[in-house]
Amino acid sequence: LDRDLNLASTTLTNPIITTSAAVTTTGTVSMTGTAVNIPSPDGGGVERVGDAILVVAATTTLVDFSADLSTNRVITMPAATVGRRIRFIWSVTQATTARVLTAAGSDDFTGMIFTSITGNAAGDGDTIAVADGSVSVTFHDDITAGSYVDCHCAVAGAWLITGHLVLDAVSSPPVPA
């Protein structure tokens, strides 16, 4: 397609759009039940994930959780190769069910995730230890927009996980396994 594509008030079911050029959108774009990979200026990729499972692409550097969930969803990491880094952000509040971040193959996680409770001036929250050898981290509901988790690989096969989650309930911290 070598021209503008006007899809105003159009619903596409399971579209696949491939382009070698930049894509510009105007107005509101809403996607659910899909993951969209968008090239980023740093040479990596941005995956915008609605209410869907995801296997993170090998070139992804940023994953945007852009929708709440209708059911628990698994997010599978790429292989932990030295120098890889991926940031997961919540651009909308995850209010209903859980996302389970899972390591690929024999890879694992280790690190700390800091939590705080929204509206709590005392700064109450917790530090969640992710023990070396953990193969998944479950992010329960009640994670507010603006929260993030970073995964860095300095040693092949191991993800160092850090981040700050703002929770709207003290009973919903992440759970490593």
Side-chain angles (χ1 to χ4, degrees):
L1 192 61
D2 191 13
R3 58 187 167 82
D4 291 341
L5 182 61
N6 183 349
L7 296 174
S9 300
T10 301
T11 300
L12 300 175
T13 303
N14 298 322
I16 297 175
I17 300 172
T18 305
T19 180
S20 59
V23 174
T24 304
T25 61
T26 57
T28 302
V29 177
S30 177
M31 294 175 276
T32 59
T34 188
V36 177
N37 193 317
I38 304 165
S40 68
D42 68 359
V46 177
E47 290 192 81
R48 187 156 291 125
V49 183
D51 185 3
I53 61 170
L54 173 69
V55 175
V56 178
T59 57
T60 296
T61 56
L62 179 67
V63 175
D64 173 13
F65 296 134
S66 61
D68 197 8
L69 304 173
S70 61
T71 188
N72 292 345
R73 300 293 187 184
V74 173
I75 308 300
T76 304
M77 294 290 288
T81 55
V82 175
R84 283 297 319 266
R85 68 193 186 296
I86 303 169
R87 174 166 274 198
F88 297 88
I89 61 171
W90 280 259
S91 61
V92 300
T93 295
Q94 178 180 311
T96 53
T97 61
R99 283 189 169 94
V100 181
L101 186 62
T102 304
S106 61
D107 295 350
D108 64 10
F109 298 101
T110 188
M112 294 288 215
I113 300 171
F114 302 96
T115 65
S116 55
I117 308 303
T118 188
N120 188 320
D124 290 346
D126 208 347
T127 303
I128 308 301
V130 180
D132 189 17
S134 297
V135 295
S136 68
V137 179
T138 300
F139 298 99
H140 292 284
D141 58 350
D142 300 323
I143 298 175
T144 63
S147 296
Y148 69 91
V149 170
D150 292 322
C151 293
H152 299 271
C153 181
V155 176
W159 289 105
L160 176 62
I161 188 168
T162 62
H164 185 191
L165 302 177
V166 179
L167 309 174
D168 64 9
V170 73
S171 61
S172 300
V175 177

